Amino acid sequence: MIEAVGLTKRYGAKTAVYNLSFQVRPGAVTGFLGPNGSGKSTTMRMILGLDNPTSGQVTIGGFPYRRLPNAPRQVGALLDAKAVHGGRSARNHLLSLAQLSGIPARRVDEVLGVVGLQDVAKKRSKGFSLGMGQRLGIAAALLGDPQVLLFDEPVNGLDPEGILWVRNLMKSLAAEGRTVFVSSHLMSEMALTADHLIVIGRGQLLADQSIKDFISHNSADFARVRTPDTEPQQREKLTAALTEAGGQVLPEQDGALRVTGLPLPRISDLAHSADVRLWELSPHQASLEEAYMRMTQGAVDYRSTVDQKAGLQQQLPPGAVPPPQQLPVAGQGQPGWYAPLPPQQGGQPFAMPQAGPYGAPGAPGAGAPGPYGAPAAPGTADVNPYAQAPASTPAPAPEAAPESAPTPAPAADLTKPEDAR
């Protein structure tokens, strides 16, 4: 078990971690979340004895890392996949680590097989891709068969198969009773991997709870309600009925309604009493990403701004129509508001307009698109751009080449020998 008590780390006038206390228990995958610059890497370095805390302490199994007997046999870590001598092969890199810790050489071949690098074991690591470097770092962490494992962004650079493999590996290690501590910025992957969450912001603890409790405490569940698109009066009637009953109603971009404060059966009864037909009535629970964004929105240090493109925008030609701008959505920015789901068109979810061969939507009622997506004139027949012109159509005369232009070389004779007889 990893336990931090009052952990604080200062670098001059900057406080990277302040009074941080938490426990990472065995038998579960614990996710370590926080915005960039929140102190996650500093905390993991203090756990491994790479940085000394200014105050407080952190222990592994009741001892600081530096006092653990043969620490590599008890703790495995991946903090930087590039911390490898590029001139060494993958096997020699692991073999040197094994010899320093008294680990038998046969274990090197075992972990190379676990991470899938057995075929490139004798290749120099400087030629490895980012994903291969991650696999080699994971192999180094598993080398001593430790009971405590720490991983910082373990899926960085991996393909989908590698990400799935890491997810299953973390779960299997935790199922064996090991302590697994994983830091990652991929919320969707963390939601599938972690059982417990520790969230920090600007060096301070924000949450220490299970994923289920974290989402329920930092999100507002809502109901998505949709009325017939062809009858806007029913939408207005339903909005009035729900608001009168104490619900909060926010419109979404696709015309649906986001309702909070009322359970689904109550919404259905109110719609029936108001004689309003419903096309959709579905519950929605916020994702881990939405709950995380809501909790950490005040602890983000690096915020992007809108690109104004000052002085770089080209003037529109006379008579040109400027592109339509997206209108603001009512309720956006208010507490409990989240980005709406993908729009629906014609009652079909995720329906997209019919596009031409190169992604340009065809105009309604226009003829068949041309070879490059441009619609043909209505009433004209389809033309094969590669078909030869009819014999009765005279070919246009070629333009005369300038006198200064060099005379083209004669074409090579590609006639087969037997055809030349």
Side-chain angles (χ1 to χ4, degrees), residues 413-421:
D413 187 5
L414 303 180
T415 309
K416 297 182 180 179
E418 59 270 21
D419 297 334
R421 297 172 186 169

Side-chain angles (χ1 to χ4, degrees), residues 198-221:
I198 295 175
V199 184
I200 65 174
R202 292 178 179 170
Q204 301 184 50
L205 184 67
L206 298 180
D208 184 356
Q209 53 193 163
S210 66
I211 281 193
K212 181 179 179 181
D213 293 339
F214 178 81
I215 294 177
S216 62
H217 282 80
N218 297 282
S219 63
D221 296 344

Side-chain angles (χ1 to χ4, degrees), residues 170-191:
M170 302 296 171
K171 291 183 176 181
S172 63
L173 292 172
E176 295 172 358
R178 306 175 196 260
T179 302
V180 183
F181 196 36
V182 186
S183 173
S184 178
H185 289 293
L186 297 180
M187 295 296 108
S188 58
E189 190 59 32
M190 191 60 67

Side-chain angles (χ1 to χ4, degrees), residues 3 28 33 80 98 147-148 190 200 204 209 227 252 279 339 344 350 376-377 384 403 408 413:
E3 183 175 11
L33 307 182
D80 185 4
Q147 289 297 312
V148 178
M190 191 60 67
I200 65 174
Q204 301 184 50
Q209 53 193 163
T227 58
E252 294 192 348
W279 276 9
Q344 297 181 358
F350 309 103
N384 185 353
E403 295 180 359
D413 187 5

